[in-house]
Amino acid sequence: MTSLLEVEGLTTSFPAGARSVAVVDGISFSLAAGEVLALVGESGCGKSMTALSVMRLVPRPGQVAAKRLWLDGKELLALSVPQMRRVRGSSVAMIFQEPMTSLNPVIRVGWQVMESVLLHESVSKRAARARALDLFRRVGIPDPNHRLDAFPHQLSGGLKQRVMIAMALATHPKLLIADEPTTALDVTIQAQILELLREVQRESDTAILLITHDLGVVNELADRIAVMYAGKVAEQGSRMDVLKNPSHPYTKGLLRAIPALARKGERLYEITGTVPAPRDFPRGCRFCTRCPEAFEPCAERVPEATTVGPAHEAYCHALGTPPVGPSERSHEQRP
């Protein structure tokens, strides 16, 4: 498939005292039109920062660099600030993680959607309001005429998320970045939001970059998965490859940590430790301090990509070189 988004060697760094620390470090992935790619990992792995880097919304003094950051025929890092503003909304839009903090609390939600249209298209306010009304209907907001004039605090969490989706779709973007779109929503509303994103993908052939730590959401929506850990991609491949045949110890741990009826009565599995702070990232494999399969090279050398199947690769020394010691533990990590 022809790529709509190509990311190669993306690095996002911030100053930390006398040196610079990369919170996203040399990651690469691509996304085709109509495809859903899920960025998965624990909080602090760099998923949201990756999305902000693609949108060129990284706050100062952060710096974004890449060998290639290409979207729909445009090299994004070569664009001026006004040019990039035109790309946002017209080619790429983002559903932010917290609708409560993303919507302006003192402006009616209908006007906030209308503003997106007015910023990118030469239309009248009447036409923009008609577009907003149509979008509210499309995303399933009940009584849309009345809701256009509501303030954010008058809407439930699910309705606010639908307003955010309507705002993102206002200018028909080719790429939709959804950052934890179902966070803090109850299970019923989560299912409705996921179905809405599916409809958007099918009807408009919109590519979706889905950012989440919920593997249930990933299984529902994603075509491909990129698992991130400490600013790097640990494993990526098709949904079936990654979920059914995980190869990186971190991916195995994430899957094993999901509660399952088949393991009723067993103690819940957990990955020991936490994601290190960027200034404390290990020199070699970043997962080595928490990995049950770590051996001598892991602490010293950064692992290279190992192909484990068609379009399925993982970054792990144990895949290329048998570890020394009781490697039987690697089988125990499979979910």
Side-chain angles (χ1 to χ4, degrees), residues 20-249:
S20 182
V21 173
V23 295
V24 175
D25 192 359
I27 71 169
S28 301
F29 60 87
S30 62
L31 186 58
E35 186 180 31
V36 180
L37 171 66
L39 289 183
V40 177
E42 294 170 270
S43 296
C45 284
K47 307 183 301 297
S48 295
M49 192 57 67
T50 298
L52 292 175
S53 301
V54 171
M55 295 283 286
R56 278 185 53 185
L57 290 174
V58 173
R60 292 183 177 182
Q63 296 289 325
V64 179
K67 294 179 183 177
R68 185 172 173 83
L69 185 56
W70 186 91
L71 173 67
D72 194 26
K74 300 181 180 69
E75 182 57 49
L76 298 183
L77 294 181
L79 300 180
S80 65
V81 172
Q83 288 173 325
M84 191 63 208
R85 284 199 192 105
R86 289 192 289 271
V87 168
R88 295 188 206 109
S90 59
S91 294
V92 56
M94 187 167 179
I95 304 168
F96 291 93
Q97 187 168 350
E98 291 290 343
M100 177 61 80
T101 56
S102 300
L103 292 169
N104 191 318
V106 297
I107 297 179
R108 299 179 193 275
V109 293
W111 174 254
Q112 295 187 54
V113 177
M114 289 168 58
E115 193 174 29
S116 297
V117 179
L118 294 169
L119 280 172
H120 294 280
E121 298 181 23
S122 299
V123 297
S124 66
K125 289 183 179 180
R126 177 177 292 183
R129 184 178 175 88
R131 174 84 64 83
L133 180 61
D134 180 63
L135 285 164
F136 274 31
R137 291 195 185 102
R138 184 180 176 190
V139 299
I141 295 178
D143 193 9
N145 271 304
H146 176 70
R147 303 291 186 187
L148 279 175
D149 296 317
F151 289 97
H153 73 271
Q154 296 174 308
L155 303 179
S156 67
L159 287 180
K160 282 195 281 281
Q161 191 64 287
R162 289 172 188 270
V163 171
M164 291 295 298
I165 295 173
M167 193 182 304
L169 298 177
T171 50
H172 312 293
K174 296 180 180 180
L175 170 63
L176 183 63
I177 300 176
D179 188 359
E180 300 281 7
T182 59
T183 295
L185 301 178
D186 63 58
V187 176
T188 303
I189 302 301
Q190 282 186 25
Q192 293 173 1
I193 296 298
L194 291 177
E195 182 57 35
L196 176 57
L197 291 175
R198 277 196 213 95
E199 290 176 9
V200 169
Q201 178 207 12
R202 288 193 299 260
E203 293 173 6
S204 308
D205 202 29
T206 303
I208 298 177
L209 181 60
L210 175 67
I211 298 167
T212 185
H213 60 268
D214 189 332
L215 292 174
V217 171
V218 170
N219 192 43
E220 287 286 325
L221 197 62
D223 297 307
R224 290 190 299 117
I225 300 172
V227 181
M228 287 191 68
Y229 182 79
K232 284 186 173 291
V233 172
E235 182 171 359
Q236 60 179 317
S238 71
R239 181 184 75 248
M240 292 299 292
D241 282 339
V242 174
L243 296 184
K244 296 296 184 183
N245 185 32
S247 297
H248 196 283

